Amino acid sequence: MTVLTAKAAMATMIRPRDVFRHPATLLGAVLLGAWCGTLFPGAATVLATFSTLYLALLQMASLPFVVLAVFFGLQRLPTLPGAGKRVLLLVALSALAMLLCAVVGALVAGLTSAGAGMSAAQTAALGRLALRSETQLVMALRGAEAADPGLWQLGALVPDNLFAVLAYGSVPSVFIGVLFFGFAIAVQGPEASRHLSAICEGIYRALEALINHFNALLPAASFVLAAAATSAAGADAIVLLGSFLGAFFASAAVVGALAVATIAWRLKKSFWTVLMALRDPITVALFSPVAVAAVPGFIQAMSVKLGFSRALVELFSPIAPVFIKAGEAMFFAVLAVFVANLYGHALSGADLAMICLLSWAAAAWSVGIVGIKSVILGGFVLSALGLPLEAVLPVFILVEALCEGARNLLSFLVSSALIALLSDGLYINNEQVSETWQTSVLNLRFSRRQALSGLLLLAIALFTVFCAGVGFGLRRAIFSV
């Protein structure tokens, strides 16, 4: 009887979804995808099509979700004791954490001698690869793109129209606009914002469920994305930059372990217990190409499983991958040490200190800049050392996607550790239950005349929008001629 009960319990505990979301399964999918991408490099275009479709679906649900999470975090924030002081400390400690990540990256890259000891044949192969890759790269160093104030001026991050920013703005400007809007709602009385909160709560829960469904496709997405990345980069680039990738991932592992250890120390629990509680969101952040896809998991793990204040978690976790560029600071520091060793430039203690400070500044500067453009900011760090980045920049652009998951994960883990450090005096309990949300039913009754009138007005509105679109298209076509 006992044996049957144990088997039944194991059968109920192990679900197919858990098997597909297990880190070993996702790692296997990534390795298999990388192998297929290496064998069939010509399939990059087809694979990129599928990956673009998945990214579009995931971003469709993720961005509204994190906006609503910040909104609800701001609503709950005034109930916390010393809320303003805690937020200011979070901002200050976030800047310090970015600097510490740059220090760890520079030290690990220096200790492992990343970029040093390359033979003449390897250096020649790296040069040939850079020249071959450069023909596929189009960069506007002058002109409209370089002069775009949205990339380089801090004032462009502050929105002047919330609705326009939500429709067309960048993610940092969206979050800044939502912070102002959420703060304006938070200072109102509960009765004044009760109906708006009820509507947003339903949308919030629906988007959370939708993201979880999209994350169920993560093994297939990881396979496709890994195959696309390796087919675009090629095995040669990965091998030649193996010391850089090894130093970066080793640095990320050190900082990640320190962050989990900080949470475990704060809760007075074992490292393994905290790691298992954060296993699912860590896996999603590491293997998902969209950073915000891991936000629901981190909110659930930090507030429900580990018991931290939901107000701080909902406010800080969504904006962490956007504003806390800990991974970028580490990336720039490792990149600088790698290029210095590659050119045989001996680094003194003052040089390492300057690399850490400039990497921190470049990471702060990269807010609102993602992907390839963030790698270009590495030239800001190397120019102080008199080292060129342009010679190896095309190769680093090829492997940039391989580091994206680790950079996103560092932002989440650093923000989670800071939340743990600043939760003194708040309710912390591992047995905290999830907030219950009761669905409400809204009954709408229309007469036949009202229903027909509503349908007629809807048809007129849709026809007006269609005519406006046709007119705008004709106007652009006429003026383009």
Side-chain angles (χ1 to χ4, degrees), residues 224-377:
V224 172
L225 291 167
T230 53
S231 61
D236 295 338
I238 298 175
V239 172
L240 291 173
L241 298 182
S243 60
F244 167 81
L245 295 174
F248 175 74
F249 286 123
S251 304
V254 170
V255 174
L258 289 175
V260 175
T262 301
I263 300 173
W265 169 78
R266 184 68 184 86
L267 292 174
K268 295 185 173 50
K269 296 184 179 295
S270 66
F271 180 90
W272 183 254
T273 301
V274 175
L275 185 62
M276 287 297 100
L278 296 173
R279 189 191 72 175
D280 289 343
I282 286 176
T283 304
V284 175
L286 192 59
F287 292 103
S288 176
V290 180
V292 292
V295 172
F298 271 99
I299 292 176
Q300 177 78 7
M302 289 293 292
S303 62
V304 177
K305 295 182 180 180
L306 299 179
F308 289 102
S309 169
R310 194 175 185 90
L312 284 178
V313 174
E314 282 186 331
L315 175 62
F316 211 57
S317 292
I319 65 178
V322 179
F323 293 102
I324 304 179
K325 296 294 187 176
E328 275 73 8
M330 180 181 293
F331 183 89
F332 293 141
V334 176
L335 173 65
V337 176
F338 176 86
V339 175
N341 290 334
L342 181 65
Y343 284 98
H345 181 84
L347 294 174
S348 62
D351 291 334
L352 289 175
M354 183 171 59
I355 286 175
C356 295
L357 290 174
L358 292 178
S359 299
W360 174 83
W365 195 8
S366 68
V367 172
I369 305 175
V370 296
I372 293 174
K373 291 182 180 180
S374 65
V375 181
I376 299 175
L377 289 178

Side-chain angles (χ1 to χ4, degrees), residues 60-132:
M60 174 192 69
S62 299
L63 185 57
F65 174 83
V66 297
V67 167
L68 289 174
V70 173
F71 172 76
F72 284 114
L74 282 171
Q75 277 198 318
R76 296 185 176 97
L77 192 63
T79 62
L80 298 180
K85 181 180 178 181
R86 294 180 195 273
V87 172
L88 291 177
L89 283 175
L90 278 173
V91 174
L93 290 178
S94 299
L96 180 60
M98 289 168 54
L99 181 59
L100 291 178
C101 287
V103 172
V104 172
L107 291 178
V108 172
L111 292 175
T112 57
S113 299
M118 294 186 68
S119 63
Q122 290 176 325
T123 305
L126 185 62
R128 289 193 300 269
L129 185 61
L131 291 175
R132 187 171 70 246

